[in-house]
């Protein structure tokens, strides 16, 4: 099996052929511009010193400073961070924001840390990468297991290291520390805008569409809520503890309340239990993977019956499954477009920090909506013109933009 980074580079190579991208550019994009490995020393509450391994990968900055989250997870690897950094370069170019691609990570299970240890880890990581990040250089953000609180600690530590308070060094901060209105809902909201435009271009609307959502965390639950408000019928939802189904559709507010009380969607009143595999195979208008990587694979893709797959998660469809979905005429709105609302509002946060402004939520949404809808239209027209799937089209469009920005 090829690695995540090899997969990412393969998709880049295929799309580069379609878009007729210069071979030298493809070579340059087939490896990150810089890979930084750091030791992250942390004194545990017991007084013992532990040294964790951390990474910052800077994939490409031709369009602007590197941008990408920091992941705290026991399975983080250099290969995974390289793949994620590559996706960020593509993602920022698809929505045409002037940023490049980067990503960071620390090999650690944060669930095993106390709050004080987590703070020391966060501060030690940003201090270790401080020489290579900065508001005009590389701007980290939250990713798996990193939160607004962690970004606040990092901005604070960066100020201590550099002697200068620069909130634009990280995004995804709390509002009090220079975060943006609308950031929490941004990924899901961006997905809703993209889906609205997708159906509009088919002469349809989101209202009345049936949807199954895998994952009920930040991306999945907010998406369920926003889509439900627009008249979509959410018939199935799952999280790591189980799944629920209701043919008549859920009240998302009641489901969220149930999740808050019991920490899972499982057992929600008036629903029946559904397995993860059965959820992926439901005959719905829209299937929304919003949890993990690699869930639609060659082992289950034949069962998928949805008309459209909206990839709110990063990398939920394997390359083999992607081919089958295209043959089955199932539209896949790829992660680099579907979940790009998050980085777009991160870009807004950075702009507000640099200009010392703070925008209202309405202002943020009014800027986000045309960016997401225009990107979908552009990707659709490339796909139609070249008879390729939306992922290839998104990559082709992004590669043209990145290539055009190559410094001479
Ligand atoms: P989260 O941790 O808030 O939620 C993840 C959800 O997935 C939880 O409900 C969890 O219970 C569920 N889950 C875990 N294992 C599962 C399983 N085996 N089956 C079904 N559900 C399972 O994370 P999130 O921020 O919502 O991110 C979800 C995905 O979206 C990730 O791939 C992430 O990279 C991507 N994403 C998120 C953002 C964002 O702004 N939150 C931005 C871009 C991409």
């Amino acid at each position: 099996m090829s690695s995540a980074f090899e997969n990412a580079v393969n998709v880049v190579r295929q799309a580069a052929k379609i878009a007729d991208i210069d071979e030298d550019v493809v070579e340059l994009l087939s490896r990150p511009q810089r890979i930084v490995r750091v030791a992250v020393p942390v004194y545990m509450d017991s007084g013992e010193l532990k040294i964790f391994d951390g990474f910052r990968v800077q994939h490409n900055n031709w369009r602007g400073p590197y941008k990408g989250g920091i992941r705290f997870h026991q399975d983080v690897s250099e290969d995974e961070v390289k793949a994620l950094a590559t996706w960020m370069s593509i993602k920022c170019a698809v929505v045409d924001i002037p940023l490049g691609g980067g990503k960071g990570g620390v090999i650690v299970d944060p669930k095993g840390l106390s709050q004080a240890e987590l703070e020391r880890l966060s501060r030690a990581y940003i201090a270790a990468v401080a020489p290579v990040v900065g508001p005009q250089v590389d701007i980290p953000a939250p990713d798996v297991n990193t939160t607004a609180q962690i970004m606040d600690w990092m901005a604070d530590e960066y100020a201590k290291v550099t002697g200068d308070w620069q909130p634009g060094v990280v995004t995804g901060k709390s509002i009090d520390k220079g975060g943006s209105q609308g950031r929490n809902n941004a990924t899901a909201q961006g997905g809703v805008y993209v889906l609205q435009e997708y159906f509009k271009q088919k002469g349809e609307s989101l209202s009345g569409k049936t949807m199954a959502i895998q994952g009920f965390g930040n991306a999945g639950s907010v998406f369920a809520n926003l889509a439900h408000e627009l008249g979509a019928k959410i018939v199935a939802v799952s999280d790591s503890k189980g799944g629920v189904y209701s043919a008549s559709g859920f009240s998302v507010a009641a489901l969220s309340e149930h999740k808050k009380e019991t920490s899972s969607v499982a057992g929600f009143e008036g629903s029946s239990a559904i397995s993860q595999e059965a959820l992926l195979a439901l005959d719905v208008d829209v299937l929304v993977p919003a949890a993990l990587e690699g869930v639609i694979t060659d082992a289950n893709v034949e069962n998928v019956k949805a008309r459209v797959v909206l990839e709110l998660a990063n990398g939920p469809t394997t390359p083999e499954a992607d081919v089958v979905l295209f043959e089955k005429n199932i539209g896949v709105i790829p992660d680099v477009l579907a979940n790009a609302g998050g980085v777009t509002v991160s870009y807004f946060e950075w702009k507000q920090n640099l200009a010392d402004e703070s925008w209202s939520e309405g202002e943020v949404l009014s800027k986000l909506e045309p960016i997401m809808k225009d990107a979908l239209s552009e990707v659709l027209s490339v796909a139609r013109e070249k008879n390729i799937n939306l992922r290839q089209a998104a990559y082709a469009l992004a590669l043209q933009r990145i290539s055009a920005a190559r410094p001479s």
Side-chain angles (χ1 to χ4, degrees), residues 187 214-219 238-240 276 290-292 312-314 339:
T187 300
Q214 183 194 48
F216 204 64
N218 181 273
S238 68
D239 60 28
S240 58
Q276 303 291 352
L292 308 168
L312 279 191
N314 279 314
N339 69 33

Side-chain angles (χ1 to χ4, degrees), residues 71 84 88 91 103 142-145 183-188 213-222 237-243 259 263-265 276 279 289-293 295 311-316 335 338-343:
R71 183 171 287 201
L84 290 162
M88 287 306 298
K91 198 178 290 190
K103 203 80 181 190
D143 189 66
V144 174
N145 291 330
R183 176 64 186 86
N184 282 347
N185 289 3
T187 300
I213 305 173
Q214 183 194 48
F216 204 64
N218 181 273
S221 71
V222 177
V237 161
S238 68
D239 60 28
S240 58
K241 294 183 182 151
K259 166 117 187 167
S263 85
S264 174
V265 294
Q276 303 291 352
L279 182 146
L292 308 168
E293 287 164 33
V295 289
E311 293 186 336
L312 279 191
N314 279 314
D335 48 9
N339 69 33
V343 72

Side-chain angles (χ1 to χ4, degrees), residues 75-245:
D75 297 336
V76 161
S77 66
E78 184 177 313
D79 182 85
E80 180 189 62
V81 184
K82 280 161 63 181
L84 290 162
T86 310
W87 288 337
M88 287 306 298
S89 297
I90 299 292
K91 198 178 290 190
C92 292
V94 171
V95 287
D96 209 5
I97 55 176
L99 293 169
K103 203 80 181 190
V106 178
I107 305 173
V108 58
D109 178 5
K111 295 195 178 79
L113 301 181
S114 71
Q115 187 74 351
E117 289 166 344
L118 185 64
E119 176 172 352
R120 291 196 285 274
L121 175 83
S122 306
R123 289 180 181 276
Y125 173 80
I126 200 76
V129 298
V132 297
V133 301
Q136 298 298 343
V137 183
D138 182 357
I139 308 130
D143 189 66
V144 174
N145 291 330
T146 50
T147 59
Q149 169 68 80
I150 289 175
M151 294 306 116
D152 291 352
W153 288 328
M154 289 190 178
D156 183 64
E157 188 66 22
Y158 185 78
K160 284 186 186 155
V161 171
T162 60
D164 194 10
W165 168 244
Q166 299 183 72
V169 67
V170 291
T171 59
K173 301 176 295 293
S174 65
I175 299 288
D176 289 343
K177 301 280 165 130
S180 179
Q181 299 290 346
R183 176 64 186 86
N184 282 347
N185 289 3
T187 300
Q189 182 68 69
V192 167
Y193 286 145
V194 159
L195 199 57
Q196 276 182 313
E197 186 64 23
Y198 182 88
F199 282 123
K200 187 176 160 210
Q201 298 228 357
K202 294 191 178 304
E204 300 176 40
S205 90
L206 205 136
S207 178
K209 294 286 183 291
T210 53
M211 300 192 183
I213 305 173
Q214 183 194 48
F216 204 64
N218 181 273
S221 71
V222 177
F223 177 85
N225 198 28
L226 296 172
H228 180 67
E229 277 174 9
L230 292 168
K233 204 156 97 174
I234 314 299
V235 298
V237 161
S238 68
D239 60 28
S240 58
K241 294 183 182 151
V244 284
Y245 174 78

